[in-house]
Amino acid sequence: MCTVCGCGEGETRIDGKGIDGKAADAGHEHIGPDGKVYRHRHGEAHHHAHHHHDDTHEHVAPDGTVFRHSHNDHGHPDHGHDHHHHDHGHTHDHHRPDRPDAIDGGAALNQPRLVTIERDILAKNDGLAAVNRCRFAERGVFVLNLMSSPGSGKTTLLTRSLTDLKGRFPVAVIEGDQQTSFDADRIRATGTPAVQVNTGKGCHLDASMVAQAADKLAAGGQFTADGVLFVENVGNLVCPAGFDLGETHRVVVLSVTEGEDKPLKYPDMFVRADLLVVNKIDLLPHLTFDVERMIGYAQRLNPSLAVIQLSATTGQGLEEWYDWIADGLAEARASHAASAAI
């Protein structure tokens, strides 16, 4: 499990295959009290040791019900003992000795350890992102990380953009979703090469996924240099903000149907973004959404945040969006040419 945001790992598929090119494993992992990772496939029994320092133990059932028992209720004295788990899929929560009434989510994962794991995960991701960024820059590729909540119209904006920009410069897409290839299929219908990344239980893309998807595009000769690579992240205003992909710019899409207080509710996304695209402005006559107030909230958090208002459905404001993309690509190409001349 990714301890940074709590999402699942090990289930990522790129165009239907695991990230190692094989079918994804249907197993899952547990972290034991000794810090070791115990992995098993679904349907298999697994065995690991727990050491308890008090006389109670709780099981959280899949429906959320908490079952408590003392160790002696099962014939266990107050010392280390083993649990055999079968195909029941429940989790363990252990009482903290210093707070008998509190549950800490597992004695092994105390706060210092969580902080260390989170730091390691983010540091590894940032290192891979730096490699991605250098790789894209060396090829004159302008990379946009598109982020939003579900239903913002992000995919509609992307497919409309790909259709309108066809022939102006090379384009490709890395499409992130937890499941299905619906969005990638819509993108491919425009004639644009696309790689689908299904994250399973994961709630965001990371730099490793993007690197492997970019490799797949390059291996197929679909996308190499001097173009725009759109990365459509998983629909989520929280977790994608914390993971650098090696993009050139971050774009957050917010529709006028979502609520003008979104920047204040999800500040990290807007603090880290380079551009705010306000979508579905054709619906404003039917809403009480205050665009200027929402933009004010966002720019209070991030004074340098650029804003483009548009409607992916009617086309209003799209030329400003396309000009912004073209300007960014020109800069990426110029930088690439300057580096090649040295």
Side-chain angles (χ1 to χ4, degrees):
M1 183 177 73
C2 170
T3 63
V4 176
C5 61
C7 71
E9 289 186 333
E11 298 183 355
T12 303
R13 296 171 180 261
I14 297 181
D15 275 349
K17 295 185 178 181
I19 58 174
D20 58 357
K22 301 176 182 178
D25 189 346
H28 63 275
E29 298 180 346
H30 295 272
I31 301 178
D34 52 3
K36 294 181 179 179
V37 177
Y38 297 86
R39 181 172 183 83
H40 66 94
R41 296 176 183 273
H42 296 300
E44 292 181 353
H46 66 285
H47 175 275
H48 57 270
H50 291 277
H51 186 77
H52 298 271
H53 299 283
D54 64 0
D55 63 352
T56 60
H57 186 66
E58 294 190 355
H59 296 275
V60 182
D63 63 358
T65 305
V66 178
F67 298 93
R68 171 185 279 190
H69 63 83
S70 72
H71 293 195
N72 290 330
D73 288 343
H74 291 275
H76 298 300
D78 187 18
H79 55 69
H81 65 280
D82 292 344
H83 283 292
H84 290 272
H85 299 267
H86 301 282
D87 193 18
H88 49 23
H90 69 259
T91 61
H92 292 289
D93 286 330
H94 301 267
H95 275 286
R96 290 171 47 181
D98 59 327
R99 289 180 57 195
D101 61 334
I103 296 174
D104 68 359
L109 290 179
N110 55 35
Q111 189 61 32
R113 177 174 172 78
L114 279 172
V115 171
T116 300
I117 293 173
E118 289 173 12
R119 185 183 298 117
D120 290 346
I121 289 172
L122 290 175
K124 179 180 178 181
N125 182 79
D126 288 348
L128 292 172
V131 173
N132 287 349
R133 187 167 284 108
C134 288
R135 172 188 182 184
F136 295 137
E138 288 171 355
R139 292 165 173 77
V141 178
F142 184 56
V143 186
L144 297 180
N145 180 4
L146 303 180
M147 299 176 284
S148 76
S149 58
S152 68
K154 184 165 77 278
T155 307
T156 298
L157 173 61
L158 184 52
T159 54
R160 175 70 182 263
S161 300
L162 295 169
T163 300
D164 292 348
L165 294 172
K166 187 178 299 183
R168 291 178 58 174
F169 39 74
V171 290
V173 175
I174 295 173
E175 176 62 42
D177 276 308
Q178 288 190 309
Q179 299 292 347
T180 80
S181 63
F182 295 151
D183 288 351
D185 292 341
R186 290 174 61 188
I187 290 161
R188 290 174 183 137
T190 70
T192 304
V195 172
Q196 177 71 59
V197 180
N198 288 129
T199 60
K201 293 181 180 179
C203 56
H204 59 84
L205 296 177
D206 63 28
S208 176
M209 298 174 195
V210 168
Q212 293 181 67
D215 285 343
K216 187 173 180 65
L217 284 169
Q222 298 171 300
F223 187 77
T224 54
D226 294 327
V228 178
L229 175 61
F230 295 94
V231 180
E232 183 173 3
N233 219 312
V234 179
N236 182 348
L237 282 177
V238 182
C239 306
F243 286 80
D244 186 1
L245 306 181
E247 68 273 4
T248 312
H249 288 302
R250 293 183 172 195
V251 178
V252 56
V253 180
L254 179 68
S255 73
V256 298
T257 58
E258 295 181 66
E260 59 205 30
D261 57 355
K262 278 294 190 291
L264 300 183
K265 288 185 174 181
Y266 306 98
D268 200 37
M269 176 64 72
F270 294 86
V271 167
R272 294 172 181 240
D274 300 299
L275 174 68
L276 166 61
V277 171
V278 183
N279 192 22
K280 304 185 184 181
I281 60 172
D282 56 303
L283 298 179
L284 284 173
H286 310 287
L287 304 170
T288 59
F289 187 93
D290 189 328
V291 176
E292 296 307 317
R293 177 180 294 175
M294 183 276 294
I295 294 173
Y297 289 153
Q299 292 184 331
R300 183 190 307 173
L301 295 166
N302 181 356
S304 64
L305 182 65
V307 180
I308 295 175
Q309 300 182 45
L310 55 77
S311 168
T313 302
T314 67
Q316 182 182 355
L318 284 179
E319 283 305 317
E320 184 180 359
W321 163 240
Y322 298 156
D323 288 344
W324 185 87
I325 294 172
D327 289 345
L329 176 57
E331 291 180 9
R333 288 176 169 176
S335 178
H336 173 219
S339 298
I342 296 175

